[in-house]
Amino acid sequence: MSDLTTYTVCFSGTACTRDEGEVTRSDSDTRIYSQKTGYIPVRIHKEISGALNATSPSVSVRGVGENDWAQPRDSSEPLRFSGPLDAPSDLLKYVKNYSGGNQKSRASQIDGWAATALALHGANLAVASGAQQYNFIGHSRGAVECIIAAWFIYAYGPKNIPINIFVIDPVPGPGTWYGILTQLPPNVSHYVGVYAWDQCIQPADKPYMALVPRPNGPMTGQSPDISLGGSWWEWWQDSWKVLADNAQLADPLAPSSAAQPVGYELYACRGRHSTVAGNTTVDGQYSPDAVSDIVAPVPELIYKMARGYLTKWGTNFAVKSGVEEDTLSLRKRINTDHAAFDAMGGGATRTSALPDRPYVRRVSSISGVNPFNSYYMDDVVGDPPYKMVYPVTSERKNAGWVKWKFL
């Protein structure tokens, strides 16, 4: 039996390697990232375990459509599917082609289907560690994999080991949003989600619609008992796809007078999808010529938050924080010098004469492929504090049940 208390799994986002932000490759120049934070999931792993290729007390997981390392560029390591989780045959059949070999693929980066395989891999590594609790951190599809991995552990492994999740802009991409994305399983003790405010220019940013999963029963004072599986008319679906279809609880984005969930926190932050994960370019793109110190406070703040929450949940870091500036000062800088963030999302004024609010981000907590199953982000978050500069539209209304915090 292991004496490890907490095991941490760090899931990288789409097209990101396990040394993302630490080693330059043809598709990614390390200079776009803050030197203090790097690409946050990878840097966090390095600061816990001391080496990029370490597998304990933390491990990193490559992103969808990418190989493990900057070198070699044409090969990846096999994923762990064989246990200790007792995964069903339909799941093992689905994931087998995403293990080992050359996984670098633009098509795979778009469809995101490999996320299921990477989530099963991370879940198996967590359970194999023998730890008493698991901490998951991820960005983009890696953030979504945190939730899927928690479901796989609950369904196919020990149900009584607590899992804590810190996600940075979870984005499933196009395709089916299964119930195992939109609902947290009962074994998740804490969920903290940080969402980028300025990833909102339509239609280009539509594929970046963010996922906001539903709180589980214990978070809302209800029973942890659930019924796994789908309805009778879903008999033809793979069993893992419908695990949570009959367990969907209250929608956090819909209006409600219910008490606030416990252990469930949502944050809005200025910047784009890449900004909140470490990118410091003024446009959220990938040229080092566009790097700006004005943008750096966003990833520095998220990095400090990630380390703070993980430490609170039992993760031990081998080195001290790379960001010494306090969080209050970072937040003040973000909201004082905000012109670059305004430009990222279409300007300081987001109200438009065009239909469908093209400068407002969409978020969803609803499974399915219907593109209308979404909310306007500036509706559900409520009114930002007047001292903070968050461009909103005059059409906003109907704040959601869960109260958001603004960074």
Side-chain angles (χ1 to χ4, degrees):
M1 181 175 180
S2 171
D3 59 358
L4 182 65
T5 300
T6 302
Y7 190 75
T8 306
V9 184
C10 305
F11 294 91
S12 293
T14 299
C16 292
T17 58
R18 294 175 62 191
D19 52 14
E20 181 73 21
E22 306 296 321
V23 180
T24 291
R25 65 180 196 276
S26 58
D27 301 332
S28 178
D29 192 312
T30 60
R31 291 176 295 171
I32 67 173
Y33 294 103
S34 164
Q35 292 184 355
K36 298 178 181 179
T37 73
Y39 177 64
I40 293 175
V42 169
R43 180 65 61 84
I44 288 290
H45 163 61
K46 183 179 178 181
E47 292 181 344
I48 296 169
S49 292
L52 289 172
N53 60 354
T55 58
S56 183
S58 66
V59 69
S60 62
V61 177
R62 64 174 170 82
V64 165
E66 230 336 321
N67 291 316
D68 285 274
W69 310 106
Q71 291 295 331
R73 293 299 296 127
D74 60 353
S75 182
S76 62
E77 299 169 9
L79 301 178
R80 180 164 183 165
F81 298 150
S82 59
L85 295 182
D86 186 19
S89 59
D90 55 10
L91 176 56
L92 294 176
K93 180 180 178 181
Y94 182 90
V95 301
K96 66 178 181 179
N97 291 332
Y98 298 109
S99 179
N102 189 357
Q103 294 293 330
K104 189 175 186 298
S105 164
R106 178 60 178 165
S108 184
Q109 291 170 11
I110 293 172
D111 63 44
W113 294 342
T116 303
L118 297 167
L120 180 60
H121 170 67
N124 270 316
L125 292 176
V127 176
S129 73
Q132 299 171 30
Q133 71 170 357
Y134 315 133
N135 289 345
F136 294 164
I137 176 173
H139 166 238
S140 190
R141 282 202 181 100
V144 176
E145 290 161 21
C146 293
I147 303 170
I148 301 174
W151 271 109
F152 287 165
I153 292 172
Y154 184 82
Y156 311 131
K159 289 180 168 56
N160 60 341
I161 296 181
I163 299 174
N164 305 299
I165 296 177
F166 185 96
V167 294
I168 305 170
D169 218 39
V171 170
T176 301
W177 286 35
Y178 301 119
I180 55 173
L181 277 64
T182 57
Q183 174 66 52
L184 295 176
N187 56 348
V188 174
S189 298
H190 297 94
Y191 175 88
V192 175
V194 179
Y195 296 81
W197 189 261
D198 301 301
Q199 188 75 34
C200 56
I201 301 174
Q202 302 295 332
D205 287 350
K206 178 67 173 178
Y208 290 87
M209 183 167 68
L211 165 69
V212 183
R214 298 162 185 246
N216 60 33
M219 290 174 171
T220 56
Q222 302 176 66
S223 169
D225 298 332
I226 60 171
S227 175
L228 291 174
S231 301
W232 64 267
W233 61 82
E234 296 176 301
W235 60 269
W236 57 275
Q237 289 274 22
D238 286 348
S239 63
W240 64 271
K241 293 181 180 179
V242 297
L243 273 178
D245 283 15
N246 285 334
Q248 303 290 299
L249 300 177
D251 186 347
L253 304 180
S256 173
S257 59
Q260 292 298 293
V262 176
Y264 182 93
E265 298 176 82
L266 304 177
Y267 290 93
C269 186
R270 298 306 307 270
R272 289 179 66 79
H273 182 65
S274 62
T275 314
V276 291
N279 188 324
T280 58
T281 62
V282 293
D283 54 6
Q285 298 300 313
Y286 308 103
S287 171
D289 296 334
V291 165
S292 171
D293 289 339
I294 294 173
V295 179
V298 165
E300 291 175 9
L301 177 60
I302 306 309
Y303 162 87
K304 283 184 72 78
M305 288 178 61
R307 281 186 57 118
Y309 275 104
L310 290 172
T311 299
K312 179 181 178 182
W313 297 333
T315 294
N316 293 315
F317 285 85
V319 298
K320 68 177 185 178
S321 173
V323 178
E324 295 183 356
E325 187 172 356
D326 64 80
T327 56
L328 183 61
S329 175
L330 290 169
R331 294 175 70 191
K332 183 176 181 181
R333 288 173 59 194
I334 293 167
N335 287 281
T336 299
D337 198 353
H338 53 84
F341 305 121
D342 293 344
M344 287 179 181
T349 302
R350 301 290 164 87
T351 297
S352 170
L354 299 173
D356 298 324
R357 286 190 257 177
Y359 303 112
V360 179
R361 191 174 194 186
R362 306 295 181 88
V363 293
S364 183
S365 54
I366 309 166
S367 60
V369 295
N370 186 340
F372 296 102
N373 282 344
S374 65
Y375 297 86
Y376 290 108
M377 189 170 180
D378 76 354
D379 279 350
V380 300
V381 300
D383 290 330
Y386 75 93
K387 291 183 179 180
M388 293 185 172
V389 184
Y390 277 77
V392 295
T393 60
S394 59
E395 301 94 335
R396 67 189 187 281
K397 57 184 179 179
N398 297 331
W401 158 42
V402 174
K403 293 181 172 61
W404 290 59
K405 302 172 185 177
F406 292 82
L407 297 174

